[in-house]
Amino acid sequence: MAFLIQFIMATKYKNLSDYDVDAMPSSEIVENQSYAIVVADWNSEITFALLDGAIDTFLQQGVKSENIKVVHVPGAFELTYAANKLASLQKYRAVITLGCVIQGDTPHFDYVCQGVTYGVAKINASDYMCPVIFGVLTTNTLQQSLDRAGGIHGNKGTEAAVTAIKMANIVW
Ligand code: INI
């Protein structure tokens, strides 16, 4: 029994797209809410799959397509600037950042990852009071990213949309 519980706990979050639909706010609540997504075009094979996952999930949960704003930026490092701008507009219930940084033989990986992580964290702690969701894959290989962009580990874009809706509907 203990083994079974350990196994379930260990595997519970392997698929990023698993979420409890019944724990989500109703579509009557969500349909009037606006959300923004910033997507990096670098590694677009991955990031556009994340974008599809996020949009599909928003629509499934009742967000209207006209209430989903999508902004493209060149790379993950630029996500912070666009997310900060969108948060400052006070129009969106949450902003999602989507990107993909894949480890190479260059320290550029670390700088880009650190930059976007710190940038998103900073907006979250700012006075804009707009949750910014971290949907950036930081992986060692392309395959690891593919696995998380509609592959065996689900789609991190889906996870980001679920997180955005949950954050926007916390009752304080
Ligand atoms: N941007 C990415 O989104 N992913 C990467 O893997 C990446 N790598 O490997 O360099 C990357 N670099 C570009 C960076 O985000 C900026 O666009 C660029 O430095 C201009 O500011």
Side-chain angles (χ1 to χ4, degrees):
M1 185 63 178
F3 170 77
L4 183 63
I5 291 168
Q6 262 184 345
F7 176 76
I8 291 168
M9 285 177 72
T11 55
K12 191 173 174 195
Y13 295 112
K14 281 283 183 213
N15 189 319
L16 301 173
S17 308
D18 277 347
Y19 67 98
D20 181 0
V21 175
D22 296 332
M24 296 298 288
S26 72
S27 56
E28 288 78 37
I29 292 174
V30 171
E31 68 180 358
N32 295 315
Q33 298 179 340
S34 294
Y35 292 87
I37 304 171
V38 194
V39 58
D41 291 343
W42 194 291
N43 288 323
S44 61
E45 176 191 0
I46 303 292
T47 61
F48 290 7
L50 300 178
L51 180 62
D52 287 345
I55 291 175
D56 287 351
T57 305
F58 273 147
L59 297 176
Q60 278 163 20
Q61 291 305 308
V63 181
K64 292 185 184 150
S65 56
E66 62 265 34
N67 291 339
I68 305 171
K69 169 84 173 172
V70 177
V71 173
H72 287 261
V73 295
F77 198 76
E78 286 72 44
L79 289 169
T80 300
Y81 180 86
N84 191 57
K85 176 70 183 173
L86 289 161
S88 78
L89 298 177
Q90 310 269 301
K91 270 170 60 178
Y92 303 104
R93 300 296 296 253
V95 175
I96 290 176
T97 56
L98 298 176
C100 172
V101 196
I102 300 172
Q103 174 75 288
D105 288 334
T106 160
H108 203 58
F109 173 88
D110 297 315
Y111 295 125
V112 172
C113 292
Q114 275 170 21
V116 65
T117 307
Y118 175 70
V120 167
K122 206 168 165 215
I123 309 167
N124 273 312
S126 78
D127 290 338
Y128 294 140
M129 306 306 289
C130 176
V132 179
I133 313 305
F134 191 75
V136 181
L137 293 174
T138 57
T139 62
N140 292 324
T141 65
L142 174 64
Q143 188 58 50
Q144 287 174 342
S145 286
L146 288 167
D147 291 346
R148 291 159 179 79
I152 57 164
H153 292 315
N155 189 317
K156 196 165 178 71
T158 294
E159 182 194 66
V162 169
T163 307
I165 293 171
K166 284 184 175 175
M167 287 303 294
N169 290 284
I170 292 175
V171 178
W172 301 102

